Amino acid sequence: METAEHIKHLAREGQLLADAAERAGLDAEVRTCPGWEVRHLLRHTGMVHRWATAFVAEGHTSYRPADGEPDLDGTPLLDWYREGHDRLVTALTGAPDTLECWAFMPAPSPLAFWARRQAHETTVHRVDAESALGLVAGRSPVGPDLAADGIDELLCGFHARDKSRVRTDRPGTLRVRTADTGDVWTVLLSADAPRTARTADGPVDCELTGPAEALYLSLWNRLPAGSPAVAVTGDDRLTRLWRETSAVTW
């Protein structure tokens, strides 16, 4: 997926997130994030947006911590979130392809990294915001291409890092296969960080099959265990391992 497409998705998903948050109310429970209310979701996502904007707009070439979450609520919090989202979209749209700045996963360029990362950060949290409205079947869709791209980022990016907690003393191989886009990933799970290949070669212990959207949300733990949208064949131990250890935290 091209950088311009990621930015387009970021713009749309961020607007949907704010709209859902406003409709749900800031004290509504975020069903997909136990213990969070909508205000917590807005503070977190808005903080991440501003953190990313600083790297893109100011060209920082080394890690810098975020400024932290604001002590805002009500309409001022919603306005703060919308403003930060707009700033991020503007910064990415105006950044040159030659942008040099810090990034924390391999990518064709820092600009490509931040556009992709923030598109998926915002998409997953938009799903969270809509969960506060009780939306499941009626939530805004995640397009197949975006969903498949997000699966790739999660498997080949986040969980290829040494800090991944998805580890087991009983090695096994997990395959993820999208029924609509034709993408396949094979993930070796062991006592080391997962190793993922974009291949359907070789036997596996467990396979997850379904539409890209369902697999995307399942692997991000936004669908309940046992969702009929995802078919599981083989050793379900590996899907339980993923659900118990794969959460990406700030």
Side-chain angles (χ1 to χ4, degrees), residues 114-166:
W114 283 110
R116 185 192 207 194
R117 176 78 293 278
Q118 292 309 302
H120 292 297
E121 175 82 13
T122 307
T123 299
V124 170
H125 286 318
R126 182 270 295 169
V127 171
D128 293 332
E130 290 187 346
S131 81
L133 290 165
L135 298 181
V136 179
R139 66 171 169 254
S140 304
V142 180
D145 290 341
L146 179 64
D149 181 76
I151 295 169
D152 191 77
E153 186 203 40
L154 186 62
L155 297 180
C156 299
F158 271 111
H159 289 291
R161 301 183 299 167
D162 287 340
K163 66 191 302 181
S164 174
R165 298 185 300 110
V166 184

Side-chain angles (χ1 to χ4, degrees), residues 45-248:
T45 311
M47 174 189 68
V48 173
H49 283 171
R50 281 168 163 75
W51 178 67
T53 299
F55 290 106
V56 175
E58 300 171 24
H60 301 306
T61 56
S62 60
Y63 170 79
R64 293 194 175 197
D67 290 337
E69 298 181 4
D71 186 19
L72 293 173
D73 212 339
T75 300
L77 176 57
L78 273 162
D79 291 345
W80 175 85
Y81 167 80
R82 290 184 189 273
E83 180 187 19
H85 171 249
D86 287 344
R87 286 183 182 179
L88 175 59
V89 171
T90 298
L92 288 166
T93 301
D97 292 338
T98 56
L99 172 71
E100 292 292 336
C101 68
W102 179 81
F104 61 87
M105 290 191 294
S109 70
L111 178 59
F113 165 79
W114 283 110
R116 185 192 207 194
R117 176 78 293 278
Q118 292 309 302
H120 292 297
E121 175 82 13
T122 307
T123 299
V124 170
H125 286 318
R126 182 270 295 169
V127 171
D128 293 332
E130 290 187 346
S131 81
L133 290 165
L135 298 181
V136 179
R139 66 171 169 254
S140 304
V142 180
D145 290 341
L146 179 64
D149 181 76
I151 295 169
D152 191 77
E153 186 203 40
L154 186 62
L155 297 180
C156 299
F158 271 111
H159 289 291
R161 301 183 299 167
D162 287 340
K163 66 191 302 181
S164 174
R165 298 185 300 110
V166 184
R167 297 169 188 254
T168 175
D169 292 332
R170 293 172 55 198
T173 306
L174 174 68
R175 181 159 292 151
V176 178
R177 187 188 303 270
T178 62
D180 45 0
T181 67
D183 292 290
V184 184
W185 299 263
T186 300
V187 187
L188 176 61
L189 302 174
S190 69
D192 298 320
R195 297 206 311 269
T196 299
R198 299 178 184 90
T199 179
D201 296 338
V204 295
D205 299 294
C206 181
E207 181 165 318
L208 306 180
T209 307
E213 178 185 31
L215 289 167
Y216 177 66
L217 297 178
S218 179
L219 290 168
W220 273 106
N221 296 323
R222 262 55 183 192
L223 283 184
S227 169
V230 176
V232 180
T233 55
D235 186 359
D236 189 51
R237 172 183 67 90
L238 298 181
T239 63
R240 294 196 306 272
L241 171 71
W242 183 272
R243 185 166 292 275
E244 292 167 2
T245 62
S246 67
V248 176

